Amino acid sequence: MKNFEYKREDGDKDVVVSVRVRLARNLDKTPFPGRCTAEAKRQIAEKIKNALSSDKFNFTDMTSLSKEERECFAESRNVSRDFISSPEGGMLITSKSSPNLFVMVNEEDHIRAQAIYDRMALDEAFDEIMRFDDTLEDALSKSSLSLAFDKDLGYLTSCPSNIGCGLRASVMLHLPALSMSGKIQSLGEALGKLGCNLRGSYGEGSQSAGTLYQISNRSSKGKTEKEIMESFKRICGEVIETERKERIALYKKNALSLEDKIMRAYGTMRYARRIPSKELTELYAYVRLGISLGLEELPTYEALDRLAVELMPAHLSLSDRSADDPYARDTIRADKLRAKLQ
C-alpha cells in the first residue's frame, strides 16, 4: 500500500462532475406545451425569439438538426431527452457570450433555462441564470408579453413541484464508494427526508451510469431562490464529505484489491481493441476513483470527463460516419481512446 493521503480538489471536482441551475417559465394566457399543437409551439417559439436580442443569443430550430446532432446535446447533458424526442416546435437558445447557458423552448414548459458548469460552481450557475431571468422578463415586457404568475402560487409551471420560484438546482456527483458499500439506497432515503431527489445520471427515470448520480431539490414552492440555494449547497456539501470518507475507508480496508481493479480498468482503456459504451462507463467509474486516490499515470479529471462524453454513440457517429454501425462504433471508440491516452 502506497503512502496514502486523500487529496481534496479545488471545486470539489474529485466528487463533483458538474452543476446545473434551471428556471421554469411560461407565457401568460398560453397553454402549456403538452396541450399545444406543433404549429402552436412554433408560434410560441417565434414570439420568444423575436423578444430576445439576436445580438446576444443564438436560436436553433430543433427540427433543423439531425437525429445525431440532437442526441449530442442530450449526451452532453445540455438538454433533456424529452426535449430531443419531440423536436417539432422546439427551439434551443444559447448565449453568444457564455458557453454555459442552454434554454429549451417548448420542453415541459415554454421556457426551461439552464446554466451548466463543471465542478462545484453553484453560485456561478445561480448568478448566470438569474441574469438571464432578468433579461427575459425585460425583453418580454418590451414585446408586450408577460410570464404566467400568480401572487399566491408564484410562477405557474406544467409540473406542480416547480410552482413558486420555479428553480431547480442539481449536482452531478461521482459516488463510487457509496455505491460499492451498498449505501446508495439509504442515501436516497435520507435525501428524500431533506426535500431532495437522488436520480440517475440523466435525471428523472434514468439509471446511474459510471456511478454518476444527480441530486436536486424537490420543490420550489414557498421558498425564495436564495433559500433553496443555501439549503441545497449545505446538503450537497454533506454528501460530498460522506463520499470522501467512504473512499478513504474503502481504500484502507483493501488497498491492493482496489488498486488492481482501477489499474486493470485503465489498462483496458489504453489497450483494448473494442469497447462498448456501457463498458466505457464502468471503466470510467474506476479510473475516476483512482485519480482521487492519487494513483500515478492516470489522466486528469477534465480529460477523463471529456472523453466520457466524446466517445458516446452520437458524438462518434458525427465524427465518423462508419460509427453508425454499432459493432464498428465499439472498435472506433477503442481506437480513439487508445490514441487519446498514449
Side-chain angles (χ1 to χ4, degrees):
M1 174 178 170
K2 67 183 182 68
N3 185 20
F4 174 67
E5 183 178 353
Y6 188 89
K7 184 179 180 182
R8 299 163 185 249
E9 294 287 341
D10 292 339
D12 295 321
K13 61 186 177 184
D14 52 310
V15 180
V16 179
V17 176
S18 63
V19 301
R20 181 192 71 191
V21 179
R22 188 190 75 201
L23 283 179
R25 298 288 187 260
N26 288 281
L27 298 183
D28 193 25
K29 300 177 182 178
T30 306
F32 293 135
R35 308 282 291 181
C36 289
T37 63
E39 179 56 31
K41 288 181 182 180
R42 281 190 283 271
Q43 292 176 9
I44 291 167
E46 194 65 20
K47 287 181 180 179
I48 295 169
K49 177 181 178 180
N50 290 337
L52 291 170
S53 171
S54 58
D55 293 334
K56 295 181 179 180
F57 299 101
N58 301 304
F59 305 91
T60 303
D61 182 342
M62 295 305 287
T63 60
S64 71
L65 302 179
S66 68
K67 181 179 179 181
E68 289 83 4
E69 289 172 326
R70 293 195 297 270
E71 181 66 24
C72 277
F73 279 109
E75 287 180 349
S76 301
R77 301 186 181 88
N78 294 327
V79 304
S80 69
R81 294 200 174 276
D82 285 342
F83 185 57
I84 67 167
S85 66
S86 301
E88 294 79 10
M91 181 171 65
L92 177 64
I93 303 174
T94 54
S95 170
K96 290 185 176 180
S97 61
S98 170
N100 307 104
L101 184 68
F102 298 87
V103 183
M104 297 179 287
V105 176
N106 289 323
E107 196 236 26
E108 186 175 299
D109 294 287
H110 296 145
I111 301 165
R112 283 203 164 184
Q114 306 183 130
I116 303 171
Y117 280 73
D118 295 334
R119 65 187 173 78
M120 191 59 164
L122 280 170
D123 289 336
E124 291 92 329
F126 176 72
D127 289 344
E128 178 152 356
I129 208 66
M130 296 311 295
R131 286 195 299 271
F132 174 77
D133 193 38
D134 291 340
T135 299
L136 175 68
E137 292 215 35
D138 183 58
L140 291 176
S141 177
K142 290 178 179 178
S143 298
S144 300
L145 297 169
S146 59
L147 296 174
F149 184 85
D150 180 89
K151 63 182 180 64
D152 296 317
L153 296 175
Y155 289 100
L156 303 181
T157 55
S158 179
C159 179
S161 66
N162 291 320
I163 286 176
C165 65
L167 184 140
R168 182 70 59 88
S170 67
V171 176
M172 180 77 70
L173 300 176
H174 184 219
L175 303 177
L178 286 168
S179 299
M180 292 178 193
S181 63
K183 296 180 180 179
I184 281 293
Q185 183 175 348
S186 60
L187 173 64
E189 293 169 355
L191 287 170
K193 295 176 182 178
L194 295 172
C196 291
N197 291 318
L198 179 68
R199 291 171 170 161
S201 49
Y202 285 96
E204 187 173 2
S206 68
Q207 300 296 314
S208 170
T211 58
L212 295 177
Y213 294 86
Q214 280 190 27
I215 296 176
S216 62
N217 64 298
R218 182 173 292 168
S219 174
S220 62
K221 186 178 180 181
K223 303 174 185 176
T224 67
E225 293 93 338
K226 289 187 177 180
E227 286 173 342
I228 291 172
M229 293 302 297
E230 288 305 313
S231 173
F232 185 68
K233 284 192 293 183
R234 184 175 62 254
I235 291 168
C236 288
E238 293 173 358
V239 175
I240 290 167
E241 286 303 314
T242 300
E243 169 65 21
R244 285 171 173 159
K245 291 176 182 177
E246 202 66 37
R247 291 183 188 187
I248 294 169
L250 186 68
Y251 186 74
K252 288 183 176 180
K253 183 178 180 181
N254 202 337
L256 183 60
S257 176
L258 186 57
E259 282 192 30
D260 183 63
K261 290 179 180 178
I262 291 167
M263 298 313 292
R264 282 177 181 270
Y266 185 52
T268 300
M269 279 186 165
R270 290 195 66 183
Y271 298 110
R273 264 40 184 180
R274 182 172 178 267
I275 300 179
S277 56
K278 182 179 179 180
E279 183 181 7
L280 177 63
T281 61
E282 295 167 353
L283 301 172
Y284 164 89
Y286 274 110
V287 174
R288 201 176 199 284
L289 173 60
I291 300 171
S292 73
L293 298 176
L295 301 190
E296 297 178 355
E297 301 178 14
L298 302 182
T300 63
Y301 291 110
E302 293 83 359
L304 188 66
D305 290 342
R306 187 167 55 251
L307 281 172
V309 173
E310 291 177 353
L311 298 178
M312 294 300 287
H315 279 76
L316 283 179
S317 291
L318 283 181
S319 64
D320 188 333
R321 296 314 306 183
S322 60
D324 288 343
D325 174 71
Y327 192 89
R329 183 165 61 233
D330 294 346
T331 303
I332 293 169
R333 178 181 294 111
D335 291 343
K336 288 182 177 291
L337 195 53
R338 288 199 313 277
K340 292 284 188 178
L341 295 177
Q342 292 306 316

